[in-house]
Amino acid sequence: MPSHRRHLCLSAAVAGAVALAGTVALVPAAAAASGVTTSLPARTTSVPAADEVSGSGQAVVWQQKTSADTLPHGWLSVSGGTPQDLGVPADNSEGVHPDTVSVQHSVVAVATSTNPNGALADHVTLRHLDTGRQETLPVAYDGSGAAGDERYRGQAGDGILVQQAYYDADSAYRVRLVLRTSDGDRTLLSDDEQYEVLASDADGALVRLRTAPGWGYRIVYVDFATGTTATVAEPGTEELPQGLEFTPTHVGVVDGATLTEWQRSAPGGDPATVTLPTDKARWISDDTLAWYEWSADGNELYAMSRDGSTAAADLGGTFRDISVGDDGRMRASLYRPDVDAAVQTLTDGRVSTAGGDATTIPAGPARLDALALSGGTLYTADDSSRRTGVLLSSGLTVGTSGASATAPSRVLAYSTGIVHQTLAAAGHRVLVEQGDAYQVYDNGTLTGVPLQLGDTSADQVTDFDGSHFLLSDQTTVNNGTLLLYTVATGASERVAPGSALYGGALYTSVKDATSSWSIRRTDLAAGTASTVTTVDCLPGGLQVRGSWILLTTCGAASTQGLLIKAGTTTRTPVDASVMAPILGKDVLYTFTRPATTGIVLHAQVLGVPGATAQPLFVVPGRADSASAQRWAVDREAPWAAWMDSDGVTHTTWAGAPARTAAAASVPTGFSPNGDGSSDTWAPAWAYDRPVAWTLTLKSGSTTVRTLTGTASGGKVAPVWNGGNDAGAAAAEGSYSWTLALKDAVTGVPAAGAGGTVTLRRTVPAASVTAPVLASDASTSAVIPVGWAAKTAGVTSYDVSWRVATRSSTGVWTLGSPQTWRSRTTTKSGSFGASGSPVTPTPGLTYRFYVRAHDDAGQTGPWSAAVAGGVPVDDRSSSLTYSGRWASSSVTSAWSRTERVSATKGATVSFTADGTKLRIVATRRSDGGRFAVVVDGATVGTVNTYASSTGYRKVVFTYTLGTRITTHKAQLKVVSGSATGRSTVHLDAIMITR
């Protein structure tokens, strides 16, 4: 492959580690969280390097180191297939550039050495891809430089080019370039001191040579078939020209914007001159002109068609190596933010999309600069071989089968420099130290204003919430103060030492008195401040998550912190003697130093009674002072992660089982009476982890029943049949219950539950009451209805009603039940008042029913019906008056009117379609008498006299029959029973239907 290719490399130096408080390198240890730990295998980078690309047709070869190599491996891919490992080729440390791995005309050449110390090649293996045949051509390398000593200089199709030392006839030391095939050797060039093959294929080679007698430098083209040579450049030094052309049809040299070229079919002919559109041109194929341009975004490749038919276009991504194969097609090792590294074919100035024109480069060794966790996502910074670094993410989950992690995916390719350190993550935002700047990326896109500093090694980021970060600045400019930096605007301000960020607010400690301090919360958007709590000690660094506040120390020279539950008086001491504790969301991380091991990280779930600190892993010392931190805790979710010395990343879940999104089903009662309905109490809860559970039922302070079990799938489903621990039936009544749980694997307590359940053995019953006539209770068409429980434990009622209606053919039918009240806790209502389903109709009878629900969840049967009728007023058109009658307005009468007559023989006639007739009248001291005639027969005489007035009285009742039939009825005034007692006050008539 051409050694004149120039590569623009970025520095891979790693800055001093900068981390959140408490981060040091970790190695795994036996942990209480066994079974909820998952590991990502020692990762190879997803963007490895590839050098010395060579292509021929659909075959591509390149060099690349593996994690175990000190020398590069050779790799081969055919038609975009899986790369084949060709092994470690020869050492190339002498400063020359032999094509140690190459492909020409479907023949792969691999130069290797049997010397384990890495001598130059002593043989070259040729593999014919079309036939599978292999042959080995020896290279007599012994390192002496004496006559016969050989150096491999490049491939020539199915042969090789060898520089061979010899003495001429005058015993002068000379070297020659030999074309060696399986048929023998042929000398191409001789009598020179050194040869370097810049480009070659099966037909010829571009060779730089140093010539006698002045030992100047020349670059010549050698045609293998004819032995013809043509000088294409004579540089004054060993530096190469600006650019060289070597394509299947031409050879030439680029000087400025001028290309001088010869046809390979006639290398001795006169050259042609081509004016190029740019003086940056470096590599040219038969069809394509390409060049690099350096910018702040990295090493960019531009390409265009050679005839100018396409404009120059940035191909995107970062390119490391480019070559032109003997098929005239350009190939480059390509790096892009959205894809893994690949050897890509370039055609007509564009990345080819043809099948087989892209070959993924095998992943190389990774150097992970840091770990960061946020919200169950693990971020890993890697700049081991990529030009500008990359950030990978893995989603972490914990379920009934244990912990798991998604395969790392690229979320960010750094475009302005190598990533030195991943500092912190908050949601989908990541804060990184990049060069001498702090930058925030949102879902892989740079956001806000980077903070540019001269020397980040003197700083420490102490907190980050996605929109702001706190920086402990150790430079002389700020003299060790704490700076609050706003990502969106780039504004910074000094804040009190030990401050913390959470939920868009800044938390600080403010001295109130000699020994009293307030913890203040300042909303960073509104600027408003409030006191969260107070403490009676000098607070150390603050940490805040949710409703929890942590003081890393409490008191001057203290080795003890303080955990505070906001809004309560809860104060819990925390040991800080080994390392500063770390507060996560509902998890407290602390450190111990056992006598038999190093520092151990512990996690304690907060807010769960009985939860204690559980060991997670051992914290060892760092490999060296420049090493990045290799562990992190998630402050938004209960996860911790560390990397061991083998490069394996371990993540462990540090939380307690939590209820899943599925709502709990907890009946409030049951009735073990054998009726097949709610005979057992069967509550259910769903957790995201296997749990061991205990359910305790008590009557007062006495334990009645204890149930236990293990839910391997996280579903807790106890069943109580109403018996006690002795097997006898428990009494009716209310019982308190308590559910206690522990993680079945780790033993960490989980948040339980509690409540009451009612046991009933009888079905609930209720009764309903209503006046026979609405007029019994009021003067308007409103029926007061009442209902009440007949059994214990009734909690609510359903009330329904029915009414008979007459069809167009005159047939009366009782309608279906209609709902009036549902699950009501009241015990009365006014049917016909505001909110009633209907307005009662005069002349109709309404029937009411009730059923009860009890505290055991039972529903009783409907009660017997109670009927209440609405009378027809004396003014109704259904009544026909004869004789002398007068209408009178009476406030206390039904509908506030009466029809009055003292005339003997006066009548009122009507049709009675029903089963019972009731006459409503006013009893008075002048009350007279009237006869009741039904179907022509007098069925009774009514005397309305009373010493005191009584309104809306049912003065007569007569049964018309058991079925609704039509009757003719009439009321007739008769003579009074005494002088002054002859007046009839008719109020209303009711026919029950």
Side-chain angles (χ1 to χ4, degrees):
M1 286 174 286
S3 59
H4 64 271
R5 289 187 293 269
R6 298 179 182 177
H7 307 287
L8 297 175
C9 299
L10 300 178
S11 169
V14 178
V18 179
L20 293 175
T23 53
V24 293
L26 303 179
V27 294
S34 174
V36 287
T37 297
T38 187
S39 299
L40 282 70
R43 238 188 10 83
T44 51
T45 177
S46 60
V47 281
D51 297 312
E52 300 298 328
V53 172
S54 174
S56 176
Q58 294 298 306
V60 180
V61 294
W62 65 95
Q63 295 183 74
Q64 177 194 357
K65 283 187 178 182
T66 69
S67 58
D69 287 334
T70 57
L71 303 174
H73 260 63
W75 297 85
L76 163 71
S77 178
V78 180
S79 299
T82 302
Q84 304 171 43
D85 187 349
L86 300 177
V88 179
D91 184 10
N92 57 5
S93 61
E94 283 195 353
V96 296
H97 299 275
D99 288 335
T100 52
V101 180
S102 59
V103 59
Q104 295 175 7
H105 285 290
S106 297
V107 178
V108 177
V110 180
T112 55
S113 170
T114 58
N115 187 336
N117 296 320
L120 286 178
D122 56 22
H123 66 277
V124 178
T125 301
L126 299 174
R127 179 189 301 178
H128 296 254
L129 298 177
D130 50 356
T131 65
R133 179 172 63 88
Q134 285 195 177
E135 56 185 324
T136 300
L137 298 178
V139 178
Y141 168 72
D142 62 17
S144 66
D149 190 33
E150 296 180 342
R151 301 286 195 278
Y152 171 62
R153 284 294 180 252
Q155 182 183 5
D158 58 0
I160 62 174
L161 299 172
V162 177
Q163 175 185 302
Q164 190 178 74
Y166 71 99
Y167 293 100
D168 63 12
D170 298 325
S171 300
Y173 181 84
R174 293 289 185 265
V175 293
R176 58 191 165 212
L177 186 66
V178 174
L179 173 60
R180 178 170 294 165
T181 66
S182 58
D183 295 329
D185 291 354
R186 181 159 61 92
T187 298
L188 300 176
L189 299 169
S190 61
D191 296 337
D192 297 302
E193 182 181 82
Q194 185 185 60
Y195 299 100
E196 180 181 353
V197 176
L198 303 178
S200 66
D201 59 15
D203 300 317
L206 276 171
V207 182
R208 183 175 66 173
L209 50 89
R210 192 174 183 189
T211 61
W215 302 113
Y217 289 91
R218 283 193 304 143
I219 299 176
V220 300
Y221 171 71
V222 181
D223 183 79
F224 296 157
T226 64
T228 305
T229 64
T231 299
V232 299
E234 294 187 67
T237 67
E238 61 179 332
E239 290 294 325
L240 294 173
Q242 173 183 322
L244 289 172
E245 175 187 11
F246 186 86
T247 73
T249 61
H250 294 84
V251 295
V253 63
V254 179
D255 183 11
T258 300
L259 165 66
T260 303
E261 63 178 5
W262 291 260
Q263 293 188 20
R264 294 179 67 175
S265 60
D270 294 331
T273 300
V274 178
T275 300
L276 304 175
T278 175
D279 61 0
K280 297 182 176 67
R282 292 296 182 272
W283 299 276
I284 305 170
S285 74
D286 276 346
D287 301 312
T288 307
L289 168 68
W291 64 95
Y292 279 151
E293 284 191 15
W294 173 255
S295 70
D297 292 332
N299 202 19
E300 297 295 327
L301 179 67
Y302 290 79
M304 62 182 293
S305 59
R306 181 173 172 179
D307 61 7
S309 60
T310 62
D314 183 353
L315 299 185
T318 302
F319 294 77
R320 176 158 186 170
D321 188 78
I322 189 168
S323 70
V324 179
D326 56 20
D327 57 355
R329 304 174 77 181
M330 300 172 65
R331 293 171 178 83
S333 52
L334 168 67
Y335 302 88
R336 288 183 170 176
D338 57 337
V339 296
D340 286 338
V343 172
Q344 188 76 55
T345 301
L346 307 178
T347 304
D348 295 332
R350 294 176 175 81
V351 176
S352 173
T353 58
D357 280 349
T359 299
T360 300
I361 299 173
R367 183 182 69 240
L368 302 180
D369 286 336
L371 302 176
L373 281 161
S374 180
T377 299
L378 171 69
Y379 296 95
T380 307
D382 174 16
D383 62 3
S384 56
S385 57
R386 185 176 176 81
R387 287 297 195 221
T388 52
V390 69
L391 186 70
L392 305 175
S393 71
S394 297
L396 306 176
T397 56
V398 62
T400 55
S401 60
S404 61
T406 60
S409 61
R410 183 182 300 124
V411 294
L412 169 64
Y414 297 92
S415 59
T416 57
I418 291 177
V419 182
H420 289 182
Q421 179 78 29
T422 303
L423 294 179
H428 48 74
R429 288 195 170 191
V430 182
L431 172 67
V432 300
E433 174 198 341
Q434 197 168 339
D436 287 328
Y438 293 103
Q439 302 190 86
V440 174
Y441 290 85
D442 189 332
N443 281 327
T445 301
L446 182 66
T447 187
V449 180
L451 174 59
Q452 301 285 346
L453 294 173
D455 182 9
T456 56
S457 64
D459 305 316
Q460 183 179 15
V461 172
T462 62
D463 213 345
F464 175 57
D465 67 358
S467 299
H468 310 83
F469 60 87
L470 293 173
L471 183 72
S472 178
D473 193 340
Q474 303 299 320
T475 64
T476 56
V477 175
N478 295 294
N479 196 26
T481 58
L482 188 65
L483 297 180
L484 170 66
Y485 189 80
T486 301
V487 174
T489 64
S492 63
E493 60 180 294
R494 296 187 182 187
V495 296
S499 296
L501 292 168
Y502 183 72
L506 177 72
Y507 289 80
T508 56
S509 54
V510 179
K511 190 173 184 180
D512 295 332
T514 303
S515 60
S516 178
W517 295 74
S518 293
I519 307 301
R520 302 277 286 175
R521 179 188 186 277
T522 301
D523 189 294
L524 292 174
T528 56
S530 59
T531 297
V532 179
T533 190
T534 59
V535 293
D536 295 329
C537 66
L538 173 64
L542 290 174
Q543 296 181 39
V544 181
R545 281 297 178 272
S547 59
W548 296 96
I549 300 171
L550 175 67
L551 280 58
T552 54
T553 59
C554 185
S558 172
T559 59
Q560 194 170 67
L562 190 66
L563 182 65
I564 302 169
K565 177 75 169 178
T568 71
T569 58
T570 302
R571 301 286 191 272
T572 305
V574 179
D575 181 21
S577 61
V578 177
M579 291 177 62
I582 303 173
L583 178 62
K585 186 177 180 181
D586 296 326
V587 180
L588 177 65
Y589 297 94
T590 56
F591 302 85
T592 63
R593 193 191 305 271
T596 57
T597 185
I599 297 173
V600 178
L601 175 68
H602 298 257
Q604 179 178 345
V605 177
L606 301 177
V608 178
T612 58
Q614 303 288 321
L616 296 182
F617 43 77
V618 175
V619 181
R622 287 170 23 176
D624 56 69
S625 59
S627 294
Q629 311 301 333
R630 295 300 173 96
W631 74 281
V633 297
D634 192 335
R635 301 189 66 197
E636 306 303 327
W639 287 96
W642 73 96
M643 183 177 295
D644 62 26
S645 57
D646 294 325
V648 178
T649 301
H650 304 270
T651 59
T652 183
W653 181 68
R659 290 182 195 166
T660 62
S665 173
V666 186
T668 58
F670 70 118
S671 54
N673 51 21
D675 63 355
S677 176
S678 301
D679 284 331
T680 60
W681 183 55
W685 300 269
Y687 285 80
D688 59 4
R689 290 278 303 141
V691 291
W693 55 268
T694 299
L695 180 69
T696 304
L697 295 121
K698 292 184 177 182
S699 175
S701 61
T702 302
T703 298
V704 175
R705 190 77 169 96
T706 301
L707 301 171
T708 61
T710 299
S712 58
K715 184 177 180 180
V716 179
V719 176
W720 184 32
N721 62 3
N724 58 26
D725 283 333
E732 278 197 345
S734 179
Y735 293 84
S736 63
W737 59 268
T738 303
L739 178 69
L741 307 101
K742 288 186 177 182
D743 191 298
V745 177
T746 67
V748 174
T756 58
V757 59
T758 302
L759 185 157
R760 298 291 176 193
R761 299 187 184 277
T762 56
V763 177
S767 60
V768 61
T769 58
V772 175
L773 300 183
S775 57
D776 292 345
S778 66
T779 61
S780 60
V782 175
I783 305 173
V785 182
W787 49 88
K790 297 174 67 176
T791 57
V794 171
T795 56
S796 62
Y797 304 86
D798 297 333
V799 184
S800 63
W801 59 278
R802 300 172 76 183
V803 66
T805 57
R806 187 178 188 182
S807 69
S808 59
T809 59
V811 177
W812 288 88
T813 305
L814 188 62
S816 59
Q818 306 292 317
T819 299
W820 179 22
R821 301 286 178 87
S822 180
R823 294 280 180 175
T824 182
T825 56
T826 63
K827 294 185 178 182
S828 63
S830 297
F831 191 79
S834 175
S836 292
V838 295
T839 299
T841 301
L844 295 184
T845 301
Y846 294 85
R847 293 162 176 82
F848 300 97
Y849 311 82
V850 67
R851 66 180 180 182
H853 304 280
D854 68 9
D855 51 9
Q858 300 184 100
T859 300
W862 288 103
S863 68
V866 171
V870 180
V872 173
D873 184 47
D874 63 274
R875 292 171 295 177
S876 173
S877 60
S878 64
L879 304 180
T880 301
Y881 291 92
S882 178
R884 188 174 180 180
W885 292 87
S887 182
S888 176
S889 177
V890 180
T891 302
S892 299
W894 176 252
S895 297
R896 302 181 186 277
T897 63
E898 292 178 346
R899 194 62 61 96
V900 181
S901 179
T903 303
K904 182 179 180 181
T907 61
V908 54
S909 303
F910 53 90
T911 299
D913 291 340
T915 59
K916 188 164 290 190
L917 168 65
R918 291 181 174 85
I919 308 299
V920 180
T922 302
R923 291 187 181 276
R924 294 170 52 117
S925 59
D926 64 349
R929 296 187 300 160
F930 64 88
V932 180
V933 180
V934 176
D935 294 332
T938 299
V939 295
T941 300
V942 180
N943 186 356
T944 64
Y945 167 79
S947 58
S948 59
T949 303
Y951 297 102
R952 305 187 311 279
K953 299 297 183 181
V954 177
V955 296
F956 180 78
T957 301
Y958 177 74
T959 299
L960 298 171
T962 58
R963 293 190 306 164
I964 298 177
T965 54
T966 301
H967 303 275
K968 297 295 185 179
Q970 186 182 69
L971 307 183
K972 181 185 293 186
V973 178
V974 297
S975 59
S977 60
T979 304
R981 300 179 183 174
S982 59
T983 303
V984 174
H985 298 263
L986 180 64
D987 197 354
I989 295 174
M990 180 66 205
I991 309 297
T992 300
R993 298 181 173 95

